[in-house]
């Protein structure tokens, strides 16, 4: 594993609630009222990675043209540059505009249902990111090196944080 990236450390439900509450408050205090999307994406990545120890790769893929995503601001090892709608977890979420949680990426068909930008990725959550006008900005992708890092608690908090940050 590259020297600059630490393996994930899972949290229990109570620890997640505390960490997300702190991260949500820090994000609101830092970019609340800001308009620049790049600034907000970079800040969301940084603060969530600071408070959640199982966040191995965290970042955004942005809608590019009609049916493609391109990599946006992220933190972690090298991310794929292009993802077609419908391909991988990110492409599936961009097409459906519904959150997807993957407990074990190894059970997915590689190259079709999952794209392994980093072989250390083992579980994943991907959420659609909408603007205030309802348009799809892209998707928010988080990878963990541990199995089953993500659940309904992550989904609830991340949907709240993304709504409060980008759909206002
Ligand atoms: N795992 C994602 C691809 C993005 S890399 O993980 C950063 C997918 O299956 O769409």
């Amino acid at each position: 594993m590259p020297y600059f990236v630490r393996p994930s450390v899972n949290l229990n439900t109570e620890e997640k609630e505390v960490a997300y509450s702190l991260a949500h408050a820090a994000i609101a205090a830092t970019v609340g009222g800001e308009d620049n999307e790049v600034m907000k994406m970079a800040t969301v990545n940084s603060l969530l990675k600071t408070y959640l120890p199982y966040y191995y790769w965290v970042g955004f893929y942005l809608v590019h043209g009609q049916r493609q995503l391109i990599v946006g601001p992220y933190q972690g090892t090298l991310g794929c540059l292009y993802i077609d709608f419908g391909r991988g977890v990110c492409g599936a979420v961009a097409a459906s505009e519904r959150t997807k949680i993957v407990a074990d990426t190894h059970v997915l068909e590689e190259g079709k249902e999952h794209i392994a930008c980093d072989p250390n990725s083992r579980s994943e959550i991907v959420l659609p990111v909408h603007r205030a006008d309802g348009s799809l900005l892209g998707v928010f992708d988080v990878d963990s090196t541990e199995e089953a890092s993500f659940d309904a608690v992550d989904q609830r908090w991340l949907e709240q944080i993304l709504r409060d940050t980008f759909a206002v």
Side-chain angles (χ1 to χ4, degrees):
M1 184 172 294
Y3 73 92
F4 64 90
V5 185
R6 297 187 305 274
S8 300
V9 176
N10 280 339
L11 296 182
N12 63 34
T13 297
E14 184 179 350
E15 292 167 330
K16 283 189 179 184
E17 293 288 353
V18 171
Y20 274 116
S21 178
L22 291 171
H24 183 228
I27 292 166
T30 308
V31 295
E34 295 291 346
D35 293 329
N36 186 282
E37 290 178 344
V38 173
M39 172 203 286
K40 292 193 285 188
M41 287 186 275
T43 302
V44 165
N45 290 337
S46 174
L47 290 173
L48 284 171
K49 200 164 173 48
T50 298
Y51 285 98
L52 283 304
Y54 50 100
Y55 278 43
Y56 173 71
W57 194 98
V58 53
F60 293 82
Y61 276 87
L62 310 178
V63 174
H64 177 69
Q66 293 301 313
R67 302 291 297 169
Q68 196 170 46
L69 298 167
I70 58 171
V71 72
Y74 69 93
Q75 295 209 6
T77 53
L78 182 64
C80 314
L81 302 185
Y82 297 93
I83 297 178
D84 291 336
F85 275 42
R87 187 166 164 263
V89 184
C90 291
V93 171
S96 70
E97 301 193 33
R98 295 172 60 87
T99 300
K100 192 174 178 74
I101 296 173
V102 178
D104 183 358
T105 59
H106 290 184
V107 304
L108 298 179
E109 184 180 350
E110 196 46 51
K112 186 177 179 183
E113 296 174 315
H114 178 252
I115 302 167
C117 299
D118 181 324
N120 293 301
S121 169
R122 192 62 193 269
S123 61
E124 185 165 8
I125 185 171
V126 181
L127 305 95
V129 185
H130 292 101
R131 298 185 179 92
D133 65 3
S135 62
L136 185 68
L137 167 61
V139 298
F140 180 65
D141 179 23
V142 191
D143 293 348
S144 167
T145 62
E146 293 294 316
E147 278 190 57
S149 294
F150 308 99
D151 59 20
V153 176
D154 301 277
Q155 179 170 347
R156 170 170 48 86
W157 273 107
L158 286 174
E159 287 177 349
Q160 179 77 51
I161 289 169
L162 294 170
R163 190 166 47 245
D164 292 350
T165 308
F166 297 99
V168 292

